[in-house]
């Protein structure tokens, strides 16, 4: 995880990486441009949270983490995000932001609280199945609303996790030891002559060690049931699937590209999503833009 000089995430590095990936992969240019706006907003929000005069709890458990939402502090910044998305978001996102802005603070508090309570949890991830045919429109609206809430709350979740002492290392912990959320990505970091595998949390972005040959969804450990796919455009990104549960997780291999930023490179790897979908694999947890 790339950190800035003040100890938080280096959003400027994320923006630079998005610019680079958008330039060399034309199919991802629109996604990367949109993400740059989101990262710049998140940087501004994180900088407010990191002010020396701002106090935050240091949650000692996953349960305490979920009870640490400080809406008295956060809510004042929500209209800025809604205005930004109406200005630069794709039409469905812009319309969802407009509808949210019309509902006002009371509704925002409800939405943010509900999302904070369940986001990233195994039951929440499981609920992301397609809605019934007759309810497709409301299902799409819910997905867009959750996207907006995720953009807004991600910096706060990461801020809380960065201020908590690291828990004991357990290399088979399949959910985040900080907030109990499912993993978003795998990350291979250089160690010795090879790479050590880590998982990156889908909610608070905490990173923890994890066994190299092991499915984080079902625990399958037979190597012949854990196929790996690498696309020509992204030799440093692995799609690690499981033939037992038919879930997959994407892993960014920093031993092959030390300039990669996992959160950003994952967003650009659209061909890998197409490959997995064609083979009926389901991603354990979608990334911010569901690419």
């Amino acid at each position: 995880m790339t950190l800035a000089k003040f100890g938080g995430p280096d959003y400027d590095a994320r923006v630079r990486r998005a610019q680079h990936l958008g330039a060399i992969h034309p199919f991802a240019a629109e996604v990367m441009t949109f993400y740059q706006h989101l990262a710049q907003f998140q940087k501004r929000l994180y900088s407010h949270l990191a002010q020396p005069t701002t106090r935050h709890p240091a949650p000692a458990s996953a349960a305490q983490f979920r009870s640490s939402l400080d809406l008295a502090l956060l809510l004042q910044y929500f209209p800025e995000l809604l205005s930004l998305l109406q200005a630069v978001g794709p039409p469905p996102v812009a319309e969802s932001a407009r509808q949210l802005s019309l509902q006002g603070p009371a509704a925002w508090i409800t939405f943010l609280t509900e999302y904070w309570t369940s986001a990233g949890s195994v039951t929440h991830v499981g609920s992301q199945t397609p809605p019934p045919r007759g309810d497709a429109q409301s299902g799409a609206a819910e997905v867009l609303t959750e996207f907006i809430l995720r953009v807004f709350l991600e910096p706060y979740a990461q801020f809380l996790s960065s201020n908590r002492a690291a828990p004991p290392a357990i290399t088979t912990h399949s959910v985040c030891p900080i907030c109990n959320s499912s993993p978003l990505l795998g990350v291979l970091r250089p160690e010795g002559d090879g790479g050590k595998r880590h998982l990156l949390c889908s909610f608070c972005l905490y990173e923890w060690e994890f066994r190299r040959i092991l499915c984080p969804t079902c625990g399958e450990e037979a190597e012949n049931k854990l196929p790996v796919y690498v696309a020509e455009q992204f030799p440093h990104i692995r799609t690690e699937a499981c033939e037992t549960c038919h879930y997959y997780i994407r892993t960014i291999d920093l031993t092959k590209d030390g300039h990669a930023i996992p959160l950003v490179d994952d967003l650009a790897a659209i061909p890998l999503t197409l490959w997995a979908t064609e083979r009926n694999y389901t991603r354990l947890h979608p990334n911010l833009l569901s690419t």
Side-chain angles (χ1 to χ4, degrees):
M1 188 184 307
T2 308
L3 299 180
K5 290 181 179 179
F6 57 78
D10 191 343
Y11 288 103
D12 290 335
R14 294 181 188 180
V15 169
R16 289 193 300 270
R17 185 64 178 174
Q19 292 171 338
H20 171 72
L21 293 173
I24 65 174
H25 300 299
F27 57 80
E30 186 175 354
V31 168
M32 292 291 92
T33 298
F34 181 44
Y35 173 72
Q36 290 172 53
H37 291 291
L38 304 181
Q40 287 162 348
F41 166 79
Q42 291 183 326
K43 175 187 175 181
R44 291 192 295 272
L45 179 55
Y46 198 100
S47 67
H48 289 303
L49 300 174
Q51 292 297 320
T53 56
T54 305
R55 294 187 177 183
H56 301 275
S61 66
Q64 288 184 12
F65 189 98
R66 296 287 179 168
S67 65
S68 299
L69 182 61
D70 187 354
L71 287 177
L73 168 67
L74 290 171
L75 206 61
Q76 60 186 307
Y77 305 110
F78 196 52
E80 179 186 343
L81 175 61
L82 297 180
S83 296
L84 173 69
L85 294 177
Q86 290 176 75
V88 304
V93 172
E95 176 58 20
S96 182
R98 189 184 73 83
Q99 293 292 337
L100 263 178
S101 67
L102 293 174
Q103 295 185 55
W108 303 343
I109 289 171
T110 299
F111 285 131
L112 290 165
T113 302
E114 290 179 353
Y115 183 80
W116 180 266
T117 301
S118 62
S121 66
V122 175
T123 53
H124 185 75
V125 172
S127 71
Q128 294 176 352
T129 53
R133 290 184 181 179
D135 197 29
Q137 187 172 0
S138 62
E142 182 179 346
V143 169
L144 289 170
T145 298
E146 289 196 352
F147 158 72
I148 295 171
L149 302 175
R150 182 174 178 179
V151 172
F152 185 68
L153 290 174
E154 186 177 272
Y156 184 66
Q158 185 169 13
F159 183 83
L160 290 182
S161 71
S162 67
N163 282 282
R164 181 183 164 184
I170 303 175
T171 58
T172 56
H173 208 309
S174 60
V175 296
C176 176
I178 297 289
C179 67
N180 242 18
S181 297
S182 58
L184 171 66
L185 288 171
V187 182
L188 284 178
R189 295 193 175 277
E191 181 171 282
D193 296 328
K196 176 172 283 189
R197 188 188 192 192
H198 297 74
L199 295 181
L200 181 70
C201 178
S202 61
F203 184 49
C204 74
L205 304 184
Y206 180 76
E207 194 175 297
W208 70 99
E209 293 182 16
F210 195 75
R211 274 178 51 189
R212 185 74 179 261
I213 308 298
L214 182 68
C215 172
T217 308
C218 71
E220 178 62 70
E221 53 187 350
E223 192 168 357
N224 64 340
K225 293 184 178 181
L226 300 171
V228 174
Y229 170 76
V230 179
E232 182 180 353
Q233 304 100 316
F234 298 97
H236 67 295
I237 303 181
R238 302 156 52 95
T239 297
E240 299 176 338
C242 178
E243 295 291 359
T244 300
C245 66
H246 291 279
Y247 277 89
Y248 77 94
I249 191 167
R250 199 175 284 167
T251 293
I252 314 300
D253 189 347
L254 298 180
T255 70
K256 293 185 176 180
D257 187 347
H259 298 292
I261 296 179
L263 276 179
V264 185
D265 286 58
D266 176 39
L267 296 174
I270 299 169
L272 279 71
T273 300
L274 299 176
W275 177 89
T277 301
E278 289 172 355
R279 287 156 180 78
N280 295 315
Y281 293 118
T282 300
R283 184 162 179 168
L284 177 56
H285 197 287
N287 62 33
L288 185 64
L289 299 178
S290 297
T291 56

